[in-house]
Amino acid sequence: MRPSILDPLFAAVTTLDGVGPRVAELLQTLLVGGGDAPVRVRDLLFHLPSSLIDRRRRAEVATAPEGSIVTLTLRIDRHQAPSRGAAKSVPYRVFGQDETGEIALTFFRGQAQWLEKLLPVGETLIVSGRVEWFNGRPSMVHPDFVLPVADAENTVLVEPVYPMTAGLSPKVLRKAVTQSLERLPALPEWIDPGIIARHTFPSFAEALRRLHDPADGVDIAPESVAFRRLAYDEFLAGQLALGLSRLRVRKAKGRALAGDGSCQAAVRAALPFQLTEAQEKAVAEIAADMAEEDRMLRLLQGDVGSGKTAVALMAMALAAEAKAQSALLAPTEILATQHFDGLSPWCAKAGLTIEILTGRDNGRARAAKLERIASGAVDIVVGTHALFQDDVDYGDLGLVVVDEQHRFGVHQRLSLTRKGRMPDLLVMTATPIPRTLVLSAFGDMDVSRLQGKPAGRKPVTTVAVPIERLDDIVGRIDAAVRQGEKIYWVCPLVEESEKSELMAAEERHRHLSAHFGGLVGLVHGRMSGEEKAAAMADFKAGRTQVVVATTVIEVGVDVPDASIIVIEHAERFGLSQLHQLRGRVGRGSKPSSCVLLYRAPLGETAKARLEIMRQTEDGFRIAEEDLRLRGEGDLLGTKQSGMPGFKVARLEHHGDLLPIARDDARLILTTDPDLSSERGQALRTLLYLFGRDEAIRLLRSG
């Protein structure tokens, strides 16, 4: 049960004065992104100001900057009402001046009586609003703040500015936030006193008050102690939730999987290369985990082309030695088929049986596959989510390998391992993730990191070229096609849109087909699985030499003899995505190139992205730079992926607090795994506050 002390914060926003159904709907959009989750008083507390208006700083009329909100001290000179019979568009003007000049305060449909009372002639007033200049004369349309000089000392002149949504007035939002703060109960402290002292954190309530009632711009900066306090709270809630999930998995005992090394030796002999030092280290860590009775929960993180699949095959060989089956789960049919095609020759040489199961299988063929899997005759099953449908039974599933985990979502980890007798779980990702994001999203897992690339991988030459040189690029592609090379051409959209200048894949396909005829293929997300597979098969077999694609080729598509990739409108892609796309080339023996086609002028961030791409191929450095440039917000597509999107914390500013929160959470769960102590009870309150109550349910059912 949620602690009753939190009831005022979990009340619907419609219980606040001035918040009816229409305003509640707008708050729903603003605070929880629409959706079905009801918007609560709590959500207003975590909606923090993005800037502030400081009316204490006075400007002068003559130097008031165009388009800025300024605060002026004016003596009111005269009123100029529109003449009788004037059009409604003619405004009411009030003229005021200071020592430097005169300004018109402009009111459309202004009521004379009200304005004469608000702005009496001869009075000196403080007036604040946005200044516009017309023909060398300053004007302030509908000032948002008017105050007699004598009252200034007793009035709040610093006003927070919040992120808004269309139709919602700042005044209504501010009033709702103020009421939410008034409802904040006295909550028990959940942070360790030593951490509070070391970081000079204020209390939770004081931190919220400082942020919503700032005295200065420093108060709402992400580096302020108030902001850092709330970020730490959020990290601690997240790490506790992940830790409780891990405890639950550990409680459900696994089994030791160990073998005599024969299958692994056969795989080593079958591989056409030697494992790198990083791969050997990862294999040893996985083998040590699998030999334990506790279930393995390990993340295998590697850059594009670092050799994760070979490491996974070694783990699956170890499972086979222990007479257990393995399931390799891929997010798409293209990737599942590719894994199957890539692993099959190695498995054949090593004496391992392998099968593929996707949503496309049906009828007798599917029934026959299901029978072989259930009988235990298959060592490795590769597939999509079809592997976990109710009618799929395994002889003895001992290991689940998940490729591109962030495509599936964090919460599916437990459901993936319900088949079999508590199988071990190995998660792979080819998206290099900054260490702080690994902690926040995969804090319940042990991590193996594959640095570097296997021997023989060629570097990729990266150049940035303006779109005006398109003809030169097509000429270079022409020469490459004549030499038998294969080329990816990536576009951001499927079809031309009037709203966007971005080159559509279909339009570019038509353009390139005019040059190269039937040698140009097309792959995009709106095609069926069969159509995409056929187009990629044509490209792989050389029936086409240029494939125009959207980002469906971003992850895992493997055509070793593709040596050039052109990324159109590269300025519109994130750094990690550009890096993933570049990883489609440089997989064979030929020197490879990546052409970043951009449309000028470039913004500062886009310029920095393209420069980093030219400087380095190290995916981990690129991921860190991406985090620095644009924050964690959508680094891995948190909305689509099930990865955490933070309400308050920003990894680029607060990442240093995350390891502290993780260590604290681990210590708590070692000493008080049921959260039953006084601090444990306070931490339960924290979990509810930050929407991590799923972890409380794990605790109860554990």
Side-chain angles (χ1 to χ4, degrees):
M1 288 287 290
R2 185 176 65 227
S4 58
I5 195 171
L6 291 177
D7 288 350
L9 301 184
F10 279 79
V13 288
T14 46
T15 60
L16 300 170
D17 287 347
V19 181
R22 196 186 74 82
V23 172
E25 207 173 296
L26 293 169
L27 290 174
Q28 181 89 15
T29 304
L30 178 66
L31 304 179
V32 293
D36 300 327
V39 62
R40 311 278 192 191
V41 170
R42 168 198 68 178
D43 299 312
L44 282 161
L45 292 177
F46 292 134
H47 187 64
L48 301 181
S50 52
S51 61
L52 54 77
I53 297 168
D54 188 347
R55 303 188 199 280
R56 296 169 305 183
R57 296 200 182 97
R58 307 292 164 80
E60 293 179 324
V61 170
T63 55
E66 167 81 23
S68 295
I69 292 175
V70 299
T71 304
L72 305 169
T73 304
L74 299 176
R75 191 170 68 82
I76 303 304
D77 280 346
R78 66 190 189 282
H79 284 233
Q80 187 185 82
S83 59
R84 272 180 195 280
K88 286 184 178 177
S89 59
V90 176
Y92 188 113
R93 288 191 173 91
V94 180
F95 292 90
Q97 63 167 302
D98 64 12
E99 290 176 359
T100 68
E102 184 179 69
I103 187 168
L105 309 177
T106 305
F107 299 85
F108 290 92
R109 301 192 177 185
Q111 301 295 315
Q113 202 175 349
W114 177 73
L115 288 169
E116 283 164 7
K117 193 176 176 185
L118 179 70
L119 300 155
V121 172
E123 286 285 331
T124 299
L125 304 171
I126 292 169
V127 180
S128 188
R130 193 176 301 279
V131 171
E132 306 291 350
W133 287 77
F134 300 100
N135 299 324
R137 292 169 181 267
S139 170
M140 187 183 286
V141 178
H142 291 277
D144 50 34
F145 191 87
V146 176
L147 184 75
V149 170
D151 295 350
E153 283 183 23
N154 305 317
T155 305
V156 177
L157 296 174
V158 178
E159 187 181 317
V161 177
Y162 292 89
M164 296 297 290
T165 189
L168 183 65
S169 108
K171 208 167 271 185
V172 169
L173 176 62
R174 178 69 183 148
K175 185 181 172 188
V177 169
T178 303
Q179 291 179 75
S180 302
L181 281 169
E182 288 165 0
R183 291 195 183 187
L184 189 60
L187 296 171
E189 182 56 77
W190 45 74
I191 301 184
D192 177 83
I195 292 172
I196 288 177
R198 198 176 325 134
H199 295 276
T200 62
F201 285 154
S203 70
F204 177 73
E206 176 60 21
L208 281 170
R209 286 194 185 97
R210 280 194 209 175
L211 286 160
H212 286 294
D213 288 319
D216 219 310
V218 174
D219 289 342
I220 60 168
E223 298 78 16
S224 72
V225 289
F227 214 133
R228 284 173 64 79
R229 154 78 206 219
L230 295 185
Y232 185 81
D233 289 335
E234 188 164 23
F235 286 153
L236 184 58
Q239 293 302 304
L240 262 180
L242 284 167
L244 286 166
S245 160
R246 184 188 179 101
L247 274 181
R248 168 89 185 278
V249 172
R250 294 283 192 239
K251 271 185 188 173
K253 279 286 184 193
R255 56 180 161 149
L257 291 177
D260 57 9
S262 57
C263 283
Q264 293 171 79
V267 167
R268 285 178 194 279
L271 293 174
F273 49 80
Q274 275 198 315
L275 296 183
T276 64
E277 196 178 319
Q279 285 173 311
E280 291 287 12
K281 182 170 182 268
V283 167
E285 287 168 345
I286 291 164
D289 280 0
M290 291 174 72
E292 296 287 332
E293 287 204 355
D294 284 341
R295 292 175 65 197
M296 174 171 73
L297 267 182
R298 185 166 285 276
L299 172 69
L300 176 61
Q301 206 193 349
D303 203 348
V304 177
S306 57
K308 294 177 297 301
T309 311
V311 172
L313 181 57
M314 290 292 289
M316 293 188 285
L318 194 157
E321 286 172 18
K323 303 292 184 277
Q325 293 168 297
S326 300
L328 171 54
L329 178 68
T332 65
E333 280 190 20
I334 285 186
L335 277 177
T337 304
Q338 198 165 278
H339 275 309
F340 179 72
D341 292 344
L343 290 170
S344 291
W346 298 346
C347 288
K349 286 182 185 172
L352 293 168
T353 53
I354 185 168
E355 187 60 86
I356 184 167
L357 187 69
T358 69
R360 227 191 295 178
D361 291 309
N362 52 42
R364 286 185 184 175
R366 177 180 170 82
K369 285 183 180 185
L370 292 180
E371 196 177 317
R372 286 199 299 277
I373 294 165
S375 71
V378 177
D379 295 315
I380 298 168
V381 189
V382 180
T384 55
H385 260 120
L387 298 185
F388 293 90
Q389 287 172 354
D390 290 343
D391 65 340
V392 183
D393 291 315
Y394 293 83
D396 184 8
L397 183 61
L399 172 66
V400 175
V401 181
V402 184
D403 192 20
E404 288 307 321
Q405 158 69 26
H406 74 270
R407 295 287 174 113
F408 290 101
V410 173
H411 300 302
Q412 287 166 306
R413 282 184 207 150
L414 297 176
S415 67
L416 295 178
T417 55
R418 282 183 189 139
K419 302 271 182 185
R421 290 187 289 145
M422 296 302 170
D424 287 333
L425 180 63
L426 177 66
V427 162
M428 305 193 294
T429 176
T431 306
I433 311 170
R435 288 181 193 280
T436 47
L437 263 182
V438 168
L439 278 182
S440 66
F442 303 103
D444 58 331
M445 310 190 86
D446 299 304
V447 181
S448 294
R449 217 175 194 205
L450 292 181
Q451 297 274 182
K453 293 186 180 184
R457 279 291 174 115
K458 293 279 191 289
V460 179
T461 304
T462 303
V463 293
V465 178
I467 195 82
E468 288 76 18
R469 288 182 51 200
L470 179 65
D471 290 345
D472 295 350
I473 300 302
V474 173
R476 168 74 182 88
I477 299 299
D478 190 39
V481 166
R482 289 173 198 276
Q483 290 167 18
E485 293 188 45
K486 289 181 185 170
I487 298 101
Y488 291 106
W489 192 298
V490 181
C491 301
L493 286 178
V494 177
E495 60 194 24
E496 200 67 82
S497 157
E498 287 179 17
K499 292 181 184 174
S500 173
E501 292 179 352
L502 302 194
M503 173 53 69
E506 289 175 344
E507 178 60 30
R508 180 57 72 211
H509 178 254
R510 281 193 291 275
H511 174 245
L512 292 176
S513 295
H515 279 269
F516 305 111
L519 291 176
V520 186
L522 177 66
V523 179
H524 59 69
R526 290 192 199 162
M527 295 163 69
S528 68
E530 289 90 340
E531 288 170 329
K532 280 188 278 196
M536 288 311 297
D538 285 344
F539 185 56
K540 203 162 188 172
R543 291 185 287 274
T544 56
Q545 281 178 258
V546 181
V547 67
V548 178
T550 54
T551 53
V552 290
I553 63 136
E554 177 187 341
V555 173
V557 172
D558 190 16
V559 181
D561 54 348
S563 57
I564 298 173
I565 185 164
V566 178
I567 304 171
E568 196 158 349
H569 282 289
E571 76 278 7
R572 300 293 183 101
F573 291 93
L575 252 181
S576 291
Q577 197 175 29
L578 287 172
H579 178 65
Q580 284 294 323
L581 289 166
R582 178 169 61 183
R584 299 311 105 218
V585 297
R587 293 171 164 253
S589 54
K590 292 180 180 176
S592 294
S593 308
C594 171
V595 180
L596 305 172
L597 265 184
Y598 66 87
R599 186 181 294 281
L602 288 176
E604 287 305 310
T605 302
K607 203 179 287 181
R609 277 195 206 122
L610 299 191
E611 184 55 35
I612 291 159
M613 286 293 292
R614 286 176 52 228
Q615 285 174 6
T616 184
E617 284 188 71
D618 180 346
F620 289 99
R621 186 190 152 198
I622 283 169
E624 297 287 353
E625 290 289 343
D626 205 11
L627 179 63
R628 185 179 64 78
L629 285 174
R630 63 172 173 151
E632 90 284 348
D634 200 34
L635 202 56
L636 291 180
T638 56
K639 290 282 191 293
Q640 295 82 13
S641 68
M643 282 195 61
F646 294 111
K647 294 177 195 292
V648 175
R650 300 181 193 172
L651 284 174
E652 67 272 31
H653 295 292
H654 308 130
D656 62 303
L657 296 173
L658 192 46
I660 301 166
R662 181 197 53 178
D663 292 345
D664 194 20
R666 286 189 171 176
L667 180 63
I668 293 155
L669 292 176
T670 303
T671 56
D672 182 19
D674 296 323
L675 299 184
S676 53
S677 65
E678 189 179 338
R679 188 184 174 202
Q681 293 295 332
L683 286 162
R684 287 173 179 243
T685 303
L686 172 73
L687 288 168
Y688 276 106
L689 255 181
F690 280 94
R692 301 285 187 165
D693 28 321
E694 180 68 34
I696 304 279
R697 284 192 281 281
L698 283 178
L699 194 66
R700 283 205 300 270
S701 62

Coordinates of all heavy atoms in Angstrom, one line a residue, residues 72-112:
L72 N 11.3 48.6 -16.7 CA 11.5 50.1 -16.8 C 10.9 50.8 -15.7 O 9.8 50.4 -15.2 CB 11.0 50.6 -18.1 CG 11.4 49.9 -19.4 CD1 10.6 50.4 -20.6 CD2 12.9 50.2 -19.7
T73 N 11.5 51.9 -15.2 CA 10.9 52.8 -14.3 C 10.4 54.1 -15.1 O 11.2 54.8 -15.6 CB 11.9 53.3 -13.2 OG1 12.4 52.1 -12.6 CG2 11.2 54.1 -12.1
L74 N 9.1 54.2 -15.2 CA 8.5 55.2 -16.1 C 7.6 56.2 -15.4 O 6.9 55.8 -14.5 CB 7.7 54.5 -17.2 CG 8.4 53.5 -18.1 CD1 7.3 52.9 -19.0 CD2 9.5 54.2 -18.9
R75 N 7.7 57.5 -15.8 CA 6.7 58.5 -15.4 C 5.6 58.6 -16.5 O 6.0 58.7 -17.6 CB 7.3 59.9 -15.2 CG 6.4 60.9 -14.5 CD 7.2 62.1 -14.1 NE 7.6 62.9 -15.3 CZ 6.8 63.7 -15.9 NH1 5.5 63.9 -15.6 NH2 7.2 64.4 -17.0
I76 N 4.4 58.3 -16.1 CA 3.3 58.3 -17.1 C 3.0 59.7 -17.5 O 2.6 60.6 -16.7 CB 2.1 57.6 -16.5 CG1 2.4 56.2 -16.1 CG2 0.9 57.5 -17.6 CD1 3.1 55.3 -17.1
D77 N 3.1 60.0 -18.8 CA 2.8 61.3 -19.4 C 1.4 61.6 -19.9 O 0.8 62.6 -19.5 CB 3.8 61.6 -20.6 CG 5.2 61.9 -20.2 OD1 5.3 62.2 -19.0 OD2 6.1 61.8 -21.0
R78 N 0.9 60.7 -20.7 CA -0.4 60.9 -21.3 C -1.0 59.6 -21.8 O -0.3 58.7 -22.1 CB -0.3 61.9 -22.4 CG 0.5 61.4 -23.6 CD 0.8 62.6 -24.6 NE 1.3 62.1 -25.9 CZ 2.6 61.7 -26.1 NH1 3.4 61.8 -25.0 NH2 3.0 61.3 -27.2
H79 N -2.4 59.7 -22.0 CA -3.1 58.5 -22.5 C -3.6 59.0 -23.9 O -4.0 60.1 -24.1 CB -4.3 58.2 -21.7 CG -4.0 57.4 -20.4 ND1 -4.5 56.3 -20.1 CD2 -3.1 57.7 -19.4 CE1 -4.0 55.8 -18.9 NE2 -3.1 56.7 -18.5
Q80 N -3.6 58.0 -24.9 CA -4.1 58.3 -26.2 C -5.1 57.2 -26.6 O -4.8 56.1 -27.0 CB -3.0 58.3 -27.2 CG -3.4 58.8 -28.6 CD -2.2 58.7 -29.6 OE1 -1.9 57.6 -30.1 NE2 -1.5 59.8 -29.8
A81 N -6.4 57.5 -26.3 CA -7.5 56.5 -26.6 C -7.8 56.6 -28.1 O -7.6 57.7 -28.7 CB -8.7 56.8 -25.8
P82 N -8.2 55.5 -28.7 CA -8.6 55.5 -30.1 C -9.8 56.4 -30.3 O -10.7 56.5 -29.4 CB -8.9 54.1 -30.5 CG -9.0 53.4 -29.2 CD -8.3 54.1 -28.2
S83 N -9.9 57.2 -31.4 CA -11.1 58.1 -31.6 C -12.3 57.3 -31.8 O -12.3 56.1 -32.1 CB -10.8 58.9 -32.9 OG -10.6 58.1 -34.0
R84 N -13.5 57.9 -31.5 CA -14.8 57.3 -31.6 C -15.0 56.8 -33.1 O -14.6 57.5 -34.0 CB -15.9 58.3 -31.4 CG -16.3 58.4 -29.9 CD -17.4 59.4 -29.7 NE -17.6 59.7 -28.4 CZ -18.2 59.0 -27.5 NH1 -18.8 57.9 -27.8 NH2 -18.3 59.4 -26.2
G85 N -15.5 55.6 -33.2 CA -15.7 55.1 -34.6 C -14.5 54.5 -35.2 O -14.5 53.9 -36.3
A86 N -13.3 54.5 -34.5 CA -12.1 53.9 -35.0 C -12.3 52.4 -35.1 O -13.0 51.8 -34.3 CB -10.9 54.3 -34.2
A87 N -11.5 51.8 -36.0 CA -11.6 50.3 -36.2 C -11.1 49.7 -34.9 O -10.3 50.2 -34.1 CB -10.7 49.9 -37.3
K88 N -11.6 48.4 -34.6 CA -11.2 47.7 -33.4 C -9.8 47.4 -33.3 O -9.2 47.2 -32.2 CB -12.0 46.4 -33.3 CG -13.5 46.6 -32.9 CD -14.2 45.3 -32.8 CE -15.7 45.6 -32.4 NZ -16.5 44.4 -32.3
S89 N -9.1 47.4 -34.5 CA -7.7 47.1 -34.5 C -6.8 48.3 -34.0 O -5.6 48.1 -33.8 CB -7.2 46.7 -35.9 OG -7.5 47.8 -36.8
V90 N -7.4 49.5 -33.9 CA -6.6 50.6 -33.4 C -6.4 50.5 -31.9 O -7.4 50.4 -31.2 CB -7.3 52.0 -33.8 CG1 -6.5 53.2 -33.2 CG2 -7.4 52.1 -35.3
P91 N -5.2 50.5 -31.4 CA -4.9 50.3 -30.0 C -5.1 51.5 -29.1 O -5.1 52.7 -29.6 CB -3.5 49.8 -30.0 CG -2.8 50.5 -31.1 CD -3.9 50.6 -32.2
Y92 N -5.2 51.3 -27.8 CA -5.1 52.4 -26.8 C -3.7 52.5 -26.4 O -3.0 51.5 -26.1 CB -6.0 51.9 -25.6 CG -6.2 53.0 -24.6 CD1 -7.5 53.5 -24.4 CD2 -5.1 53.5 -23.8 CE1 -7.7 54.5 -23.4 CE2 -5.4 54.4 -22.8 CZ -6.6 54.9 -22.6 OH -6.9 55.9 -21.6
R93 N -3.1 53.7 -26.4 CA -1.7 53.9 -26.1 C -1.6 54.8 -24.9 O -2.3 55.7 -24.7 CB -0.9 54.5 -27.3 CG -0.7 53.5 -28.4 CD 0.2 54.1 -29.5 NE 0.5 53.1 -30.5 CZ -0.1 53.0 -31.6 NH1 -1.2 53.8 -31.9 NH2 0.2 52.1 -32.5
V94 N -0.6 54.4 -24.0 CA -0.2 55.2 -22.9 C 1.3 55.5 -23.0 O 2.1 54.5 -23.2 CB -0.5 54.4 -21.5 CG1 -0.1 55.3 -20.3 CG2 -1.9 54.0 -21.4
F95 N 1.7 56.7 -22.9 CA 3.1 57.1 -23.1 C 3.7 57.4 -21.8 O 3.2 58.1 -20.9 CB 3.2 58.4 -24.0 CG 2.7 58.1 -25.5 CD1 1.4 58.2 -25.8 CD2 3.7 57.6 -26.4 CE1 1.0 57.9 -27.1 CE2 3.3 57.3 -27.7 CZ 2.0 57.4 -28.1
G96 N 4.9 56.8 -21.6 CA 5.7 57.0 -20.4 C 7.1 57.3 -20.8 O 7.5 57.0 -21.9
Q97 N 7.9 57.9 -19.9 CA 9.2 58.2 -20.2 C 10.1 58.1 -19.0 O 9.7 58.2 -17.8 CB 9.3 59.7 -20.8 CG 8.9 60.7 -19.8 CD 9.3 62.1 -20.3 OE1 10.5 62.4 -20.6 NE2 8.3 63.0 -20.5
D98 N 11.5 57.9 -19.3 CA 12.5 58.1 -18.3 C 13.5 59.1 -18.8 O 13.2 59.8 -19.8 CB 13.1 56.7 -17.9 CG 13.9 56.1 -19.1 OD1 14.1 56.8 -20.2 OD2 14.3 54.9 -19.0
E99 N 14.6 59.2 -18.2 CA 15.6 60.2 -18.6 C 16.2 60.0 -20.0 O 16.7 61.0 -20.6 CB 16.8 60.3 -17.6 CG 16.3 60.8 -16.2 CD 17.5 60.8 -15.2 OE1 18.5 60.3 -15.6 OE2 17.2 61.2 -14.1
T100 N 16.0 58.8 -20.6 CA 16.6 58.5 -21.8 C 15.7 58.6 -23.0 O 16.1 58.6 -24.2 CB 17.3 57.1 -21.8 OG1 16.2 56.1 -21.8 CG2 18.2 56.9 -20.7
G101 N 14.4 58.6 -22.8 CA 13.4 58.6 -23.9 C 12.0 58.2 -23.5 O 11.7 57.9 -22.4
E102 N 11.2 58.2 -24.6 CA 9.7 57.9 -24.4 C 9.4 56.5 -25.0 O 10.0 56.1 -26.0 CB 8.9 58.9 -25.1 CG 7.4 58.8 -24.9 CD 6.6 59.9 -25.6 OE1 6.6 59.9 -26.8 OE2 6.1 60.7 -24.9
I103 N 8.4 55.8 -24.4 CA 8.0 54.5 -24.9 C 6.4 54.5 -24.9 O 5.8 55.1 -24.0 CB 8.5 53.3 -24.0 CG1 8.2 52.0 -24.7 CG2 8.1 53.4 -22.6 CD1 9.0 50.8 -24.1
A104 N 5.8 53.8 -25.9 CA 4.4 53.6 -25.9 C 4.0 52.3 -25.3 O 4.5 51.3 -25.7 CB 3.9 53.7 -27.4
L105 N 3.1 52.3 -24.3 CA 2.6 51.1 -23.8 C 1.3 50.8 -24.5 O 0.3 51.7 -24.5 CB 2.3 51.3 -22.3 CG 3.5 51.8 -21.5 CD1 3.1 52.0 -20.0 CD2 4.7 50.9 -21.6
T106 N 1.2 49.7 -25.3 CA 0.1 49.5 -26.2 C -0.8 48.5 -25.8 O -0.4 47.4 -25.4 CB 0.7 49.1 -27.6 OG1 1.7 50.2 -28.0 CG2 -0.3 49.0 -28.7
F107 N -2.2 48.8 -25.8 CA -3.2 47.9 -25.4 C -4.3 47.7 -26.5 O -4.8 48.7 -26.9 CB -3.9 48.4 -24.1 CG -2.9 48.5 -22.9 CD1 -2.2 49.7 -22.8 CD2 -2.8 47.5 -22.0 CE1 -1.3 49.8 -21.7 CE2 -1.9 47.6 -20.9 CZ -1.2 48.7 -20.8
F108 N -4.5 46.5 -27.0 CA -5.5 46.3 -28.0 C -6.8 46.0 -27.2 O -6.9 45.3 -26.2 CB -5.2 45.2 -28.9 CG -4.1 45.5 -29.8 CD1 -2.7 45.3 -29.5 CD2 -4.3 46.2 -31.0 CE1 -1.7 45.6 -30.3 CE2 -3.3 46.6 -31.9 CZ -2.0 46.3 -31.5
R109 N -7.9 46.7 -27.6 CA -9.2 46.6 -27.0 C -9.1 47.0 -25.5 O -9.8 46.4 -24.6 CB -9.8 45.2 -27.1 CG -10.0 44.8 -28.6 CD -10.8 43.6 -28.7 NE -11.1 43.3 -30.1 CZ -11.8 42.3 -30.6 NH1 -12.5 41.6 -29.7 NH2 -12.0 42.1 -31.9
G110 N -8.3 48.0 -25.2 CA -8.1 48.4 -23.8 C -9.3 49.2 -23.3 O -9.8 50.1 -24.1
Q111 N -9.7 49.0 -22.1 CA -10.8 49.8 -21.5 C -10.2 51.1 -20.8 O -9.4 51.0 -19.9 CB -11.5 48.9 -20.4 CG -12.1 47.6 -21.0 CD -13.2 47.9 -22.0 OE1 -14.1 48.7 -21.7 NE2 -13.2 47.2 -23.1
A112 N -10.7 52.2 -21.3 CA -10.1 53.5 -20.8 C -10.1 53.6 -19.3 O -9.1 54.0 -18.6 CB -10.8 54.7 -21.5

